[in-house]
Amino acid sequence: MTLHVEVFWSFRSPYSYLATPRLAQIEAEYDVELQIRPVYPLAVRVDGFFKRQDKRWPMYVARDCFRTAQMLGMTFGPPRPDPIVMDMATGEVAKEQPYIRRLTHLGQAAVEKGRGLPFILEVSHLIWSGQVQGWNEGDHLARATERAGLDLPELDRTVEAEGERLEATIQASHARLEEVGHWGVPTMVFKDEPFFGQDRIETLLWRMRQHGLTERAGA
């Protein structure tokens, strides 16, 4: 029996990036279907979010992400540029957000073409691996999209023509995340139970095993 898991995920979240290879491994090894639900980060969803946080928090997150990446054998580095346009010193987030809006719409379009997981895997690596400066320049994004089995110009045309519909779907994902009782990313939801954070993947597997999780044939 195929088990279904919703994955609420953001291109601005380093923890989403760190979780994605293991999520892809789960879908490859087990009879599990992941429903990727791209959402905007809290910096965009919640007005003044960073202004209310302890100023030590970003430094802790950076340290934790570097060591988690080392533990997982992944490369990691700050995104260049940041998918969110904001002043890190003041916590002020710009009203216009060209990067994260485009990325999130592209992610939703990729989901609808059945390639959501490969797309977020490739693009998050592009942004967060620390190996590319100017991920938004040249053909970096186009090549990542191609590796995911998609065509960037085609996705961009969908985003331009159907932006309002894609935005409505993203907003519905925000509402669904709140409905199940969480706000952060990555959050995996199985049978309406949220599992927040890349460090809850093993707990998610434990719960799915209670519901008959099986390996894929030939995995």
Side-chain angles (χ1 to χ4, degrees), residues 166-181:
L166 294 170
E167 180 69 15
T169 303
I170 293 162
Q171 294 301 327
S173 291
H174 294 166
R176 171 61 177 159
L177 181 56
E178 291 187 6
E179 178 187 2
V180 299

Side-chain angles (χ1 to χ4, degrees), residues 8-212:
F8 296 87
W9 193 99
S10 168
F11 288 96
R12 208 280 177 123
S13 163
Y15 288 119
S16 289
Y17 159 65
L18 293 170
T20 304
R22 283 173 290 162
L23 292 172
Q25 184 178 7
I26 287 172
E27 191 171 76
E29 293 184 0
Y30 297 98
D31 189 9
V32 173
E33 180 180 319
L34 301 182
Q35 180 186 0
I36 306 300
R37 302 193 71 154
V39 295
Y40 292 123
L42 284 167
V44 171
R45 281 188 280 140
V46 179
D47 187 38
F49 174 77
F50 273 96
K51 293 181 179 180
R52 298 196 292 271
Q53 305 307 310
D54 191 301
K55 294 187 182 300
R56 294 168 293 185
W57 179 58
M59 292 302 298
Y60 174 80
V61 169
R63 171 181 282 185
D64 189 48
C65 286
F66 272 107
R67 70 184 174 201
T68 300
Q70 289 178 334
M71 181 183 71
L72 296 172
M74 298 173 64
T75 58
F76 180 81
R80 297 170 292 180
D82 191 329
I84 289 290
V85 180
M86 68 173 291
D87 186 329
M88 290 300 296
T90 65
E92 190 69 33
V93 176
K95 290 184 178 180
E96 296 296 323
Q97 292 291 337
Y99 300 141
I100 197 62
R101 179 179 174 86
R102 183 190 181 202
L103 286 169
T104 309
H105 281 214
L106 287 171
Q108 183 59 43
V111 168
E112 295 177 6
K113 291 185 178 296
R115 303 295 295 171
L117 183 58
F119 185 79
I120 66 171
L121 184 67
E122 292 293 343
V123 176
S124 65
H125 184 268
L126 173 68
I127 295 171
W128 287 102
S129 68
Q131 297 177 332
V132 176
Q133 182 166 348
W135 59 262
N136 60 317
E137 299 173 352
D139 64 350
H140 293 308
L141 189 55
R143 290 170 61 189
T145 304
E146 184 179 2
R147 290 193 296 271
L150 294 165
D151 179 71
L152 182 59
E154 181 182 349
L155 286 185
D156 274 327
R157 287 192 293 270
T158 299
V159 167
E160 183 176 357
E162 304 180 42
E164 289 187 7
R165 182 187 63 76
L166 294 170
E167 180 69 15
T169 303
I170 293 162
Q171 294 301 327
S173 291
H174 294 166
R176 171 61 177 159
L177 181 56
E178 291 187 6
E179 178 187 2
V180 299
H182 219 280
W183 54 91
V185 291
T187 291
M188 292 69 67
V189 178
F190 175 64
K191 292 188 177 293
D192 287 341
E193 182 179 7
F195 298 81
F196 167 60
Q198 60 84 26
D199 53 347
R200 289 295 176 267
I201 291 178
E202 287 301 320
T203 310
L204 170 65
L205 281 169
W206 166 78
R207 179 67 84 205
M208 288 194 294
R209 289 188 181 105
Q210 294 178 330
H211 290 267

